């Protein structure tokens, strides 16, 4: 069942949040003991000597116990800090306490936190209490804005992969922008700086102009759970 926690009311942020949720020491050495010579008691004259007393086996001293191992340091679950504010793979609850969202939306085990940042809007998506995706949606949606963000990402991460989809007529910046606004085209660029996370720069009619950082394993886990209807 879907539920709104605060800021209840219709509007694009709520619709987008729902769409994003649905998208699917070394021990010391011990020295050995020096054997003690065995003395044979004197026997009375005229009697043959009796058998010598046999000493029992000498037991080796017990080894000193090994020192306790120091516990291994806890592994940081954050695999990527995003926008200097959020962390992929981190527990979402400290974020909720330290930075209460403008509004939030829940859908079963999934949670969307919405932060109004003025010219941008941030969506922090969590699955079973862990952040798996952070999306920044830009209010200004133009070809110039898209190219500016793309150039910054290309300079830092390289060319990336172009997965854009446009109809045949969209062969100029103006026509591509028009096709996006009509819903006929999609501008999509993907970067994979690490095996664990990726970056998606997209411009579509449904989500607008947005930049997303995605935790690959967690995103796949939540998507599979949704597809199984769990």
């Amino acid at each position: 069942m879907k539920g709104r926690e605060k800021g209840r009311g219709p509007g694009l942020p709520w619709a987008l949040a729902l769409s994003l949720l649905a998208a699917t020491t070394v021990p010391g050495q011990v020295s050995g003991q020096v054997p003690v010579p065995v003395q044979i008691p004197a026997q009375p004259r005229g009697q043959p000597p009796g058998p010598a007393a046999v000493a029992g086996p000498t037991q080796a001293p017990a080894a000193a116990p090994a020192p306790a191992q120091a516990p291994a340091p806890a592994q940081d679950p954050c695999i990527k800090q995003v926008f200097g504010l959020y962390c992929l793979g981190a527990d979402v609850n400290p974020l909720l306490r330290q930075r209460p969202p403008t509004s939030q939306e829940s859908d079963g085990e999934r949670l969307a936190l919405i932060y109004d940042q003025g010219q941008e809007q941030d969506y922090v998506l969590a699955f079973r209490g862990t952040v798996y995706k952070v999306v920044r949606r830009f209010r200004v949606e133009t070809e110039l804005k898209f190219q500016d963000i793309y150039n910054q990402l290309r300079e830092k991460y390289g060319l990336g992969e172009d997965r854009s989809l446009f109809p045949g007529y969209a062969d100029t910046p103006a026509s591509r922008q028009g096709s996006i606004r009509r819903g006929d085209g999609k501008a999509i660029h993907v970067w994979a700086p690490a095996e664990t996370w990726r970056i998606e720069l997209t411009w579509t009619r449904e989500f607008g102009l947005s930049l997303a950082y995605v935790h690959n394993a967690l995103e796949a886990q939540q998507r599979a759970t949704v597809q199984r209807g769990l």
Side-chain angles (χ1 to χ4, degrees):
M1 176 179 292
K2 302 174 183 176
R4 295 177 183 172
E5 304 299 334
K6 60 186 289 189
R8 188 180 183 93
L12 183 58
W14 290 110
L16 182 55
L18 287 173
S19 299
L20 288 170
L21 287 174
T24 46
T25 56
V26 177
Q29 294 181 349
V30 181
S31 59
Q33 292 182 342
V34 179
V36 179
V38 178
Q39 295 185 359
I40 301 174
Q43 298 290 334
R45 291 177 178 271
Q47 295 183 3
V54 179
T58 303
Q59 293 184 352
Q69 293 283 342
Q75 187 176 2
D76 188 355
C78 177
I79 64 170
K80 172 62 179 176
Q81 189 175 36
V82 181
F83 306 134
L85 298 170
Y86 321 107
C87 256
L88 290 179
D91 186 347
V92 74
N93 291 305
L95 178 63
L96 273 167
R97 293 192 298 268
Q98 297 165 11
R99 296 190 70 243
T102 306
S103 54
Q104 65 188 67
E105 180 77 15
S106 62
D107 181 12
E109 294 182 302
R110 295 174 299 167
L111 177 68
L113 308 181
I114 306 171
Y115 293 90
D116 197 339
Q117 305 282 51
Q119 290 300 313
E120 297 92 24
Q121 211 161 33
D122 293 344
Y123 295 79
V124 180
L125 310 182
F127 175 64
R128 294 176 179 171
T130 304
V131 177
Y132 71 90
K133 189 173 186 177
V134 177
V135 183
R136 172 162 287 180
R137 180 178 177 272
F138 301 89
R139 299 185 191 277
V140 177
E141 300 178 17
T142 64
E143 178 72 20
L144 183 62
K145 182 65 175 179
F146 180 89
Q147 288 299 326
D148 179 50
I149 301 170
Y150 170 74
N151 290 335
Q152 292 181 53
L153 292 168
R154 183 180 63 181
E155 183 177 349
K156 185 173 183 178
Y157 299 109
L159 291 175
E161 182 184 352
D162 188 356
R163 300 182 185 177
S164 301
L165 298 171
F166 289 104
Y169 69 84
D171 53 0
T172 66
S175 59
R176 285 194 292 270
Q177 179 172 311
S179 69
I180 290 172
R181 289 177 173 173
R182 285 189 294 270
D184 299 333
K186 296 180 180 181
I188 306 170
H189 282 270
V190 181
W191 289 263
E195 292 183 359
T196 53
W197 58 276
R198 68 183 187 272
I199 303 170
E200 297 175 350
L201 174 62
T202 61
W203 188 10
T204 65
R205 181 179 181 180
E206 182 182 9
F207 297 119
L209 177 52
S210 60
L211 177 61
Y213 289 77
V214 187
H215 190 303
N216 293 331
L218 289 176
E219 195 272 340
Q221 184 182 358
Q222 72 85 25
R223 185 174 63 247
T225 300
V226 172
Q227 291 173 348
R228 291 196 304 266
L230 300 179

